[in-house]
Structure formats: C-alpha cells, structure tokens
Amino acid sequence: MGSIDQIPTPPPERALYSRVSPAQAAADAIPILIEDTYHLFHLTTPPFTRHHPPRLRSCWWRLRSRNLVDWERDPQPIIKPRESPSAQDADGVWTGAAVLGPDGNMNIFHTGYNLSQSGKQVILRARAQDRHGSKFQPGCEIQFNGEGRSKLEDIDFRDPFVFFHESEAQYWMLVASRLANGPFWSRGCVALLKSTDLETWTFAPQPLYAPNDMFCPECPELFTLPNGKWYLVYSRFQAPNAGTVYRFADSPYGPFRIPRDGSHGRLDGRRWYAAKSCPKAADRSKRIFFGWIGDYVEDEAKWLWGGDFGIPREVYADDKGYLRITTVPEVDQLFEGTSKPGLISGSTGELSLSSAGSTSTAFPGLGIAETEDLLLRFDIQQCDAHSFGVLLQVNDTEKGHRLKFTPSGENTYTVTLLTDVAALDDFWADQYDLHLPRPVDGYELVRHDGVNLAGGVALFLRESILECFCGGRSISFRLPGSAGLTVITADTEEGRVVRSRRLGWFVEDGEIELSNVSLRYGGLLSRTGYAV
C-alpha cells in the first residue's frame, strides 16, 4: 500500500483538494451550502503523525467552491486546539457541524478532546459575525437540560450534527455516543438534543437511534428528501458492514430501517469513511457527499485515521427510497480532450474478451497515461461469462487487486473488489510454508449485490486511490504503491523480470462484449484541486 512518507510534494502553485499537504491527512468532512457556495470544513492531522494521540490533535480547515471542481483553500486553519493543557480541546478539535443561527450568522459546533481529563469529550460552540464565517470566536461548552446525559457513558459524547427542523421551528442536535448500560460492544447510540436559540439544549427522553449492533455511530447526520423520507447517515468502524451507512424512516423520530438494497445500507466500503453531505446547489433533490480514503503505512502494515478526500459524490433516492451514489457530473470536465484509445480494440469503443473453461488476462499499453490520473468508462453490451473485470496493480504472477463483475440475475451483477491472494487455513499454510497476511478488510474488500449496470461503469485512478461508480454504488480503496506506476524490477536469482501493471482486463470462462469503452487521463492533476 502507499506510504504517507512517500507522497511527492506538489508544485507550490497547485492548491490541494485532497489534503492540506502531503504531510497532513484530511479527515472528517463538515460541508454546508451557503447560497451558491460550498463550504467544506474538514479535520486535518498534525504534520508527520501516524497514531493516537498525536495524530488526533486535529484542527479545522476549510475549502470553498461554486462548481465542485475549482476549490479555494483558506490560508490558515479555522479552529485549532488551544495551548493550555487544561483547555477542553487541548488534544483535538474534532468533528462537528456548521449551521446558520437565528441571526443568520454561521455557528460551528465541534467536539473538544482532553487526554488529561481521561479523554473526556465535550461539545463546544464557536460563533462568527457573518453568514459565511469569516472568523470565529473560541468555542464555549454548550449548556443542556434534562437527564439524557446520565443515560450515556462518560467518555463518548462527540460529532454533533446540528440543523434547523422547520416543522418544529427549533434546532436539532445529533450526538454520537454510547448507552451507559447494556452489552459492551453494542451500546452505540445517537443522542438527540433540541434548542430554539442554539444557547441552551434539552435532551430528548430517549436516544434517537440505538440499534444494539455497533460500538459507536460516528459522524451522524439526518436529512429529508422530496420523497418525504428521512435518512440517518453515520459511519461504523466496526464490522459487519463497516464504513458510511444509512438508515431510512417515514418520520425523523424513526424507526430507522436497514435498506434491503443489496449493500445493507452501505454507501461504499470501510475505506470511504466519515462521509457527510449538504444539499446540491442546483438541485435540492440531491445531496453532495464528501468522505476520506485512509492512509496506509507499509512499514507497520497499518491503516491510519485520515487520508485523502474522495471525489465529491452526488446522492439521491430511487423509487424505492434507497439512496444511490454517483460521481458529480462536473468532475468529467477535468478529463476533456485527453482520450487514450490504446486501451480498446478498434476505434469504435468496443472490446471483446473470451476464454472457454479458464481465466484469461489482457494488459494494454498505457503509454503516457501510465503516470497520470485516469478515468475509465465502459458499458456492458453482452455478458456470457462467469465473471469479468479490471485488474489493478497486478504483477507477472497475477498477484494484485481485481474489480470483479459476476452476473447474479437478469441485468444485475455482484460487484466486488478483491485483494491479492486469500489467506490460507493454518494446515495448508504450515504444509506449504505460505503464511499470508490476514488484513482486517478480508479477501473481499468491498461487495455490492444486485447492482444494475445499465448506466455503465466509471473508474477513477488517482495515483494509488481507486474510486469506482456503477449502478448507484461506489467502491473506494487505496491500492499498493504511492504513485500507481508500472514498476519493473530484476530478479537476479531467478534471472527474470517482474512487472507490476497498473491496469488490465480479465474474463473467466465465457465471453464479454463491452461498448463505449474510453480511457481519459491527466485531468485531476492538471486542474486545481484533486492533487495528492
């Protein structure tokens, strides 16, 4: 996997969307739309940190955009941890929300974290003197009434999400927490507080959501769409179905049900995390989501908290009320006029692959596109194969990752991202001395069932970051290698050359015909934003 220490420094004139700098990771998103401007607040780690507690001594930075393509970053953090060891946020300014107050000015509610107080978490409020939040006063702890706090554990009380509930004419605050009593591993809940003025908050008698199936629901948010349904979105760091998930209901009070959408309510996999949203400026029936894809360090074989922001994503509800996710159309502007026809056979955008009774692979030459950000698109014209898909970072031994499409019904597929080689049972590992690592993600990194691919597949490769969009689902992951380049190394003992190829195809037992195949490159790094 790509190491954060290996990320190259970008040219000084390039503004970064993905992260503040190569040495600092971006984390939890806090977006808000003010008129036609997207304000994307987010957490950022201290430079060159990896683990708790130093990496989580985070601060808030902000990006702004009117088109989701061109971004402007503030020159300094909006909110930073205070220097006093006794300050409530001395060890981290954590996730929260931005909201307009009764006076029309922007307010920020965020979590304060202090290790000297046994890691106590409190909710702080910072105020601005204008609508767009030019400058914020230091945060003060919120005041609340009611007995709800006594029903929760002492430590976990974080990630406030605040919005104005129009039909009740008051503000709601959702807080990620844990019940004080119950089975230890499944006490996670979303607490609810209400206020008319953002000054004093009253606990609801019971948590808004307590499903008895997770440790803590991080970064919750609640919104409604024109279909009248309410959507509770939060992130789970504990399996099963880790990552950003959603539940839906006919009322803002629930009960919030698990979607039968083939993904168990997951919007992606566990590596696209802490995603939050705001309305889309031009279409309030849709929302724009932002989430991060974690860093990985090779020398420790560990995933880290924070990483690079994924491409902004457009989310909407289908006719069953299920959420569907796709890339924002604006991102295509970054790839205009940069086609690479060498990936396909012929000039018509058609590709045929076949293999009877076996699995065949093909690796087209990428040329200059080998070192660029890539956008691969294709439609499935006909599939009479057991499976087919895209090979990613595969060497001559065919060790690498596979994005696999397996027919599962009429016009539907199971889409999976598979890692290198599945680990062996202990008996076989001992017999052949092949003790393969057992990563926390497992062999199937991400899986979506019942996916209709009539709208085609779009696959983005940004150096080591993969983001795939198909049938209203998305798959994100950080692949091996920091630059995503073809690597050629000489094996002097065996007298052979091992090549790592960035992109290819495979087909298993059958024939596949693809149409509208195109590969475009260079866009994401050639414009402001999306650089790594």
Side-chain angles (χ1 to χ4, degrees), residues 113-300:
Y113 180 62
N114 189 308
L115 280 169
S116 68
Q117 300 179 32
S118 301
K120 183 180 180 181
Q121 300 166 11
V122 298
I123 307 301
L124 306 176
R125 177 191 180 192
R127 310 185 196 189
Q129 300 301 312
D130 64 287
R131 189 173 181 84
H132 284 267
S134 300
K135 185 178 181 181
F136 291 89
Q137 301 171 352
C140 299
E141 186 173 359
I142 67 167
Q143 303 299 313
F144 47 79
N145 300 317
E147 299 180 355
R149 186 68 180 93
S150 64
K151 299 178 180 180
L152 307 174
E153 281 191 354
D154 290 336
I155 298 298
D156 284 288
F157 191 68
R158 63 179 185 270
D159 305 351
F161 173 74
V162 181
F163 72 102
F164 186 69
H165 194 302
E166 294 185 2
S167 64
E168 293 192 359
Q170 58 184 338
Y171 292 91
W172 279 29
M173 178 188 292
L174 277 57
V175 180
S177 191
R178 282 170 47 81
L179 297 173
N181 299 294
F184 178 77
W185 290 103
S186 55
R187 291 184 200 164
C189 69
V190 177
L192 172 62
L193 297 85
K194 299 181 181 182
S195 175
T196 58
D197 56 9
L198 299 182
E199 298 284 348
T200 302
W201 294 86
T202 301
F203 268 96
Q206 300 293 332
L208 179 69
Y209 183 62
N212 191 33
D213 71 349
M214 63 183 162
F215 194 82
C216 187
E218 297 195 304
C219 303
E221 71 169 335
L222 180 66
F223 57 83
T224 186
L225 291 176
N227 61 6
K229 293 190 179 296
W230 287 82
Y231 295 87
L232 176 65
V233 178
Y234 61 93
S235 289
R236 306 163 58 103
F237 56 80
Q238 180 189 16
N241 298 313
T244 300
V245 303
Y246 75 95
R247 305 291 184 254
F248 65 153
D250 294 326
S251 162
Y253 293 96
F256 292 97
R257 306 298 302 275
I258 300 173
R260 276 58 166 175
D261 61 358
S263 301
H264 311 284
R266 279 186 296 102
L267 294 176
D268 199 300
R270 73 187 306 156
R271 297 303 164 203
W272 186 68
Y273 198 75
K276 298 273 281 290
S277 71
C278 65
K280 184 170 185 178
D283 185 353
R284 297 306 173 98
S285 69
K286 299 177 180 179
R287 295 182 71 87
I288 304 301
F289 270 78
F290 304 87
W292 53 266
I293 301 165
D295 284 332
Y296 186 89
V297 286
E298 289 277 8
D299 57 341
E300 297 183 27

